[in-house]
Every structure is written in structure tokens, then in C-alpha cells.
Amino acid sequence: MSLNLDLVGQTWESEGRAWTSTDAILYALGVGAGAQDPLAELSFTTENSHGVIQQVLPTFAVMLGGTGAGPKLGDFDLAQLLHAEQTISVRGPIPTHGRSRTSARVTGIYDKGSGALIVMESSLFDADTGRLIAEVGTGVFIRGEGGFGGERGTSAPWAAPDRPADHVVVYPTRPDQALLYRLSGDRNPLHSDPWLAGRAGFERPILHGLCSYGFTGRALLHTLCGSDPAGFGMMSARFAAPVLPGQELAVHIWDDGETSRFVTKVGETVVLDRGRFARVSR
């Protein structure tokens, strides 16, 4: 057992990260904005288009936490780490530039038998004003680190409605999508290095789970919020299967009003599962 179980319940602070309007644009391009029609999402992909005010994709919140700050989770092989789940609750539109401050804690380390699930929560604040920008929940699965006798954990019930999806949004990804997305800050070599991908059991580097998450967030933003970040509240999903750069993502959305459910598929394979989304009431 090489996980640091003593971390559960501990809180730590970090400086988070500084970002510019260019960083927000680069993130938007990394999750496919403008790829199908360069004129369709100019508010997210440019800062100087006539009559267009730059905005930030709400899922950019996942990039605003600390860059490796905080205690070490354990001593394990990086190739055995997989992103398991992600939640964001955005507290209003994200500024086009700023600095974040992060308060984070490990809320649980769960024994899943074949591996361990580590669940963390972070609150992201504007370092200059103190305003809460977003709350972020992250779960990572460490293969081979289970069997230590800990609690298994529970999951909230979820089921797709017994009807066809109200909306299906299809986005292609580029063959070099992972190389583009990693420029936003996630340099995990699993998504670029064939050697590490092979050690992890993949034929070639896979797409970042958070890149597929960002594509899905764009679909939810445009379909359910009229492309207005002010209407984007909470988004959560579980990563169910890997995506290869170049594959096509289809986001199936069941619109239940202020709250909705979704899954993202590649063909018939669900790659993001148990999706929940909440609009902001205005």
C-alpha cells in the first residue's frame, strides 16, 4: 500500500494560477471551439473581433487550480493513475484574466478492490478580490492500490430517462487534439508519449478526459444556456472509457428544465457517464 491515507480531511492552500485572455482562448481552441466553423464561437476564440466581447468557457475552471501544489498523494506509478470523475460549480462568468487562490482537501480515499479512488474538493477564489470563482470536485483512480480494507464509498443514483435524448450534439476531435489541449497546462505524458501510453495498456496516447469534458461542456453551454456562461451552473460526469484523438464525440442530452442529464459517446461506447447539469436561474 503506497497511498497516504492520512491525507483524508486535511486542507491546504495554494496560489493557484495566473491566466490571461490568451490562456482562455488557447483552452477554448483545445476543446474544439471554432474547429467546425471559425466564425461560430468568436467570443471564446478571439479578443478583438468587432462588436464581440470576449468570454471564457465555464469548463476553464478545471485549469485554474494549483499546479502540483499540496501534499503528495502517495508513491505510485503514474501510468496507473486514471481520471475517474469531475464536477464543477461555477459562480458566475470567469474573468478573461486574473489570478486564482485555491483551498483544497482530500474528502475520501475509497477501496474499490482493483484500485483506490481518491476524491478531492477545491474552492477557487480570485486572488485579488477574494470572490469565489468555482468549486471543483475531482476523483482519480489508482489501479492496483485497492484491497487495503477501506470503505468502498457510495454513488448517487443515476439513470438515463426512458426516452430518446432531447438533443444530440456531435463534435469531431482532431488527430492532434491532445497535443493542442496539453498547452493549457495538463502535461501528463499519458496523452503525448507513446512509451508511457503503452505502459498504461493503450496502443497510442489517449485524449485527456478533461478535454472530452470540455467538449461536452461546450455542447451543454450552447444547447441549454444559449451560449451564455452566466447560465452555466453545475456540471458533473464520470469518465467511463478512453477516447482517441480524432474520434467523434456525440453528447446526448435529456433536458429536464433547470437540471438535465447527459452522456457522451464515441459510436455506441459511453465515454462520459452519469452526467448531470444545472442551469443558473435568472
Side-chain angles (χ1 to χ4, degrees), residues 96-157:
T96 58
H97 61 278
R99 294 185 304 122
S100 67
R101 176 176 59 82
T102 303
S103 175
R105 69 189 182 107
V106 174
T107 59
I109 300 179
Y110 301 106
D111 189 345
K112 298 297 187 178
S114 62
L117 178 67
I118 304 176
V119 180
M120 296 165 283
E121 294 180 353
S122 300
S123 296
L124 309 179
F125 300 90
D126 186 306
D128 297 319
T129 67
R131 181 181 76 86
L132 179 63
I133 298 172
E135 294 164 311
V136 177
T138 303
V140 295
F141 186 77
I142 316 298
R143 295 181 293 184
E145 293 293 338
F148 56 90
E151 295 182 12
R152 184 169 180 85
T154 60
S155 297

Side-chain angles (χ1 to χ4, degrees), residues 72-115:
K72 189 175 181 180
L73 298 177
D75 183 17
F76 49 81
D77 186 350
L78 181 63
Q80 302 308 310
L81 183 150
L82 296 173
H83 204 150
E85 55 194 30
Q86 188 70 47
T87 300
I88 58 171
S89 295
V90 185
R91 305 303 182 180
I94 299 172
T96 58
H97 61 278
R99 294 185 304 122
S100 67
R101 176 176 59 82
T102 303
S103 175
R105 69 189 182 107
V106 174
T107 59
I109 300 179
Y110 301 106
D111 189 345
K112 298 297 187 178
S114 62

Side-chain angles (χ1 to χ4, degrees), residues 77-79 143 175-180 182 186-208 244-245:
D77 186 350
L78 181 63
R143 295 181 293 184
D176 61 350
Q177 198 76 55
L179 299 180
L180 180 58
R182 73 191 295 270
D186 189 341
R187 300 298 181 100
N188 185 343
L190 177 65
H191 309 292
S192 56
D193 184 348
W195 175 81
L196 185 63
R199 287 194 60 227
F202 302 109
E203 294 184 2
R204 58 189 301 117
I206 61 175
L207 193 61
H208 304 70
L244 292 176

Side-chain angles (χ1 to χ4, degrees), residues 41 44 56-58 216-232 253 277:
E41 297 175 86
F44 301 104
V56 179
L57 289 176
T216 301
R218 280 179 52 233
L220 296 168
L221 174 70
H222 296 317
T223 304
L224 300 178
C225 304
S227 304
D228 182 1
F232 192 107
I253 304 168
F277 178 77

